[in-house]
Amino acid sequence: MKHQSIKEIGVKPLEWIDNKVRFIEVSMLPEKVSYVETDSYERIAEAIERLEIRGAPAIGVAAALGIALAVVKSSAKTVNGIVLDAVKAARRLEKTRPTAVNLFWAIDRMERRINELSKIVASISEFKRLVVEEAIKIMFEDIEVNVRIGVNGAELIEDGDTILTHCNAGSLATAGFGTALGVIRAAVKQGKKVRVIATETRPLLQGARLTTWELMQDKIPVTLITDNMVGYIMGKGLVDKVVVGADRILLSGHVANKIGTYSIAVLAKHHNIPFYVAAPTSTIDPKSKQIPIEERDPNEVRTVLNKVWIAPRDVPVYNPAFDITPPELVTAIITEKGVIWPPYPENIPKTLQLK
Ligand code: MRU
């Protein structure tokens, strides 16, 4: 996958260069394509909290790279001392955002590898090298997985389809290529003519700012609508399929994704439009029965991107960042291991080989 060109995977939001992490500050898009380079895991944690790095797979990859930074920078004189620094970074990074399970999945994978290595590697430089290697592996695997999600999902897309997507589940939300937008990219690569409708995704406008920008870079036709236009355009027969990403999927088939996804799924059901969720299996949480929903700063709702006040400054606000779509509204879940159809409580564990 290291040989996949940037052109093929869309933009690359995260990179490891000379023991530093370089990331696109997605909060500045589309006004400015600005990059941050850091050797500090604390800066990575802040970037995740501020949504400079966002999207479930991207925050998982960023956390893995953050732990690698802590290990590289550690001045401890023993492997066990470095492990303590890595654990400190892991505890900080896991506090950044609660909903996307990829964050915890990646931190857990890094900690397991660090623990394993600490038992067999005595040389500090070799230990550091192998930890960095694991983080980079997580990053490249994410791109590979997204390409496979794309190939599996493209089978469900027909030539001439108009696909509605919500939020941004593209290259900018992953290490590259994207999940929902990966399906669209793969269909286009197969020669299918598809059009995309992107919802703006209030309050932080990931659809308006990121999805449209990303698709326009790739010259994939996209039309922007406000979130409250979905019912109208579905009623007019303008949407053939919905494809969205996910932040956490339970074995029951409940899907947490950006706030507004549930409303779109209800509307899709009403209008008999297939509603697909595209996500890596690392987004499936085999342990939890419930999903913690992040609540964010009320000023995100009272303002437009903290620039223009659009409500009384002290109006009470409720600002959940995600919602949960129940399994009966989800037509299928597209993963790198194949397309999972209902009944989910039976077919998700089969795909994960838990049964
Ligand atoms: O708050 P965000 O921007 O991190 O929310 C992102 C989403 O909800 C995406 O749809 C989800 O993470 C899937 S990204 C491939």
Side-chain angles (χ1 to χ4, degrees), residues 51 54-57 97 167-169 173-174 179 206 245-247 257-258 322:
L51 269 63
R54 40 65 55 195
R97 295 190 79 188
C167 193
N168 172 266
T174 62
T179 56
Q206 290 92 331
D247 289 83
N257 191 45
K258 179 53 56 195
F322 301 95

Side-chain angles (χ1 to χ4, degrees), residues 214-342:
E214 226 192 282
L215 292 172
M216 287 172 82
Q217 301 284 308
D218 277 9
K219 305 204 172 11
I220 296 173
V222 56
T223 302
L224 174 65
I225 60 166
T226 63
D227 299 324
N228 50 1
M229 294 174 186
V230 175
Y232 177 71
I233 63 151
M234 283 185 175
K236 281 181 72 120
L238 297 179
V239 179
D240 298 301
K241 270 142 207 163
V242 176
V243 186
V244 294
D247 289 83
R248 195 187 291 229
I249 302 171
L250 300 183
L251 293 183
S252 56
H254 287 84
V255 175
N257 191 45
K258 179 53 56 195
I259 191 78
T261 303
Y262 172 43
S263 319
I264 295 171
V266 171
L267 285 165
K269 183 81 164 182
H270 181 78
H271 293 95
N272 237 337
I273 296 167
F275 179 93
Y276 297 116
V277 173
T281 50
S282 56
T283 301
I284 301 176
D285 175 357
K287 292 186 210 137
S288 307
K289 294 272 174 282
Q290 279 187 338
I291 303 176
I293 299 292
E294 176 182 7
E295 280 182 40
R296 295 186 58 86
D297 184 346
N299 283 347
E300 290 180 352
V301 176
R302 295 185 189 117
T303 68
V304 176
L305 302 177
N306 270 313
K307 287 178 192 145
V308 184
W309 289 89
I310 54 167
R313 291 183 186 220
D314 52 356
V315 66
V317 161
Y318 178 44
N319 186 18
F322 301 95
D323 61 25
I324 297 174
T325 300
E328 61 273 18
L329 300 181
V330 178
T331 308
I333 300 169
I334 306 161
T335 75
E336 77 279 15
K337 296 195 172 156
V339 177
I340 312 178
W341 300 93

Side-chain angles (χ1 to χ4, degrees), residues 54-231:
R54 40 65 55 195
I59 65 178
V61 170
L65 297 174
I67 293 173
L69 288 178
V71 164
V72 167
K73 236 183 148 182
S74 171
S75 53
K77 298 281 176 276
T78 61
V79 164
N80 284 344
I82 303 174
V83 172
L84 291 180
D85 285 334
V87 169
K88 193 170 150 210
R91 298 293 77 81
R92 167 69 180 103
L93 286 156
E94 74 186 4
K95 283 199 182 70
T96 50
R97 295 190 79 188
T99 304
V101 80
N102 309 62
L103 177 72
F104 308 101
W105 173 88
I107 291 172
D108 183 56
R109 178 162 154 185
M110 286 300 288
E111 285 196 275
R112 273 188 287 119
R113 182 71 178 140
I114 285 169
N115 190 23
E116 199 177 274
L117 289 171
S118 70
K119 291 184 186 134
I120 51 173
V121 182
S123 144
I124 286 185
S125 60
E126 185 62 358
F127 179 76
K128 289 186 175 184
R129 188 186 70 75
L130 290 167
V131 172
V132 170
E133 190 178 276
E134 182 69 5
I136 293 176
K137 202 166 155 206
I138 289 176
M139 178 169 69
F140 281 108
E141 272 177 24
D142 184 62
I143 301 172
E144 227 172 284
V145 158
N146 293 335
V147 170
R148 272 190 262 139
I149 290 172
V151 171
N152 293 337
E155 295 301 310
L156 303 168
I157 307 298
E158 284 158 81
D159 190 25
D161 271 352
T162 298
I163 301 161
L164 184 138
T165 190
H166 186 56
C167 193
N168 172 266
S171 287
L172 293 167
T174 62
F177 201 70
T179 56
L181 296 194
V183 170
I184 290 162
R185 284 198 166 93
V188 169
K189 235 172 152 184
Q190 290 176 352
K192 292 172 185 162
K193 286 207 168 25
V194 296
R195 307 187 70 81
V196 179
I197 294 177
T199 52
E200 66 177 351
T201 321
R202 270 286 288 157
L204 295 181
L205 306 174
Q206 290 92 331
R209 296 186 302 105
L210 309 178
T211 297
T212 58
W213 182 80
E214 226 192 282
L215 292 172
M216 287 172 82
Q217 301 284 308
D218 277 9
K219 305 204 172 11
I220 296 173
V222 56
T223 302
L224 174 65
I225 60 166
T226 63
D227 299 324
N228 50 1
M229 294 174 186
V230 175

